[in-house]
Amino acid sequence: SDIDALTEIVLHGVSRIKNKIESVYSLVRAIANEQNKYPNLFYILPVTTENGKGQNLLEKVGLAKEYQIIFVCAKSGKPVPYDGEEGLVFSMPSEFAQEVLTFWKTYGPMIKLSAILIKMAVEASTGVNASDLIPSSVSKFVSNAKEYAI
């Protein structure tokens, strides 16, 4: 159903963000333990974009924010490239996204079961297929949403 598809898209995006956070955590832990070739001095800065250009869907709707870790040489004060790039770019879920994820983990199964029961009750009592009540524009949005997700 459309709700399942939207839920899957959001959970997929949050999962990708979680994986990035874990990789950043591993890197920071390695730096703290001096197990890495990168300097211990670094900055974490928000990545800015012009008018939303280059933002993914989660950033556009306020569910995530991109940051960049820029490593700095303690001797020269100059930036040290990370894998040939200016720095390591990663996304963090916003506070709102974290609250949404907690909500869906807690209440999602109950809401899904309730929706199925309501759909069955509507179809049994009226003979109308509940899927026919959803505007086609919503169905098209849900089916096309995956190509805009991160």
Side-chain angles (χ1 to χ4, degrees), residues 8 26 28 40 51 76 79 110 117 126 138:
E8 181 182 326
S26 295
V28 171
N40 291 339
N51 300 325
S76 69
M110 195 178 348
L117 293 174
T126 64
V138 172

Side-chain angles (χ1 to χ4, degrees), residues 8-9 17-18 25 27 30-31 46 55 57-58 65 70-71 73 77 79 94-95 98 118 121 127-128 137 139 141 146:
E8 181 182 326
I9 292 167
I17 290 170
K18 181 182 175 240
Y25 173 73
L27 176 65
I31 290 170
Q55 288 182 323
L57 179 63
L58 291 176
K65 177 73 178 137
I70 299 175
F71 297 97
C73 176
S94 67
E95 279 187 44
Q98 292 173 7
I118 290 169
V128 175
S137 60
S139 295
F141 170 77
K146 285 186 179 180

Side-chain angles (χ1 to χ4, degrees), residues 24-36 38 40:
V24 169
Y25 173 73
S26 295
L27 176 65
V28 171
R29 192 176 66 227
I31 290 170
N33 294 329
E34 298 181 15
Q35 299 171 344
N36 204 296
Y38 298 102
N40 291 339

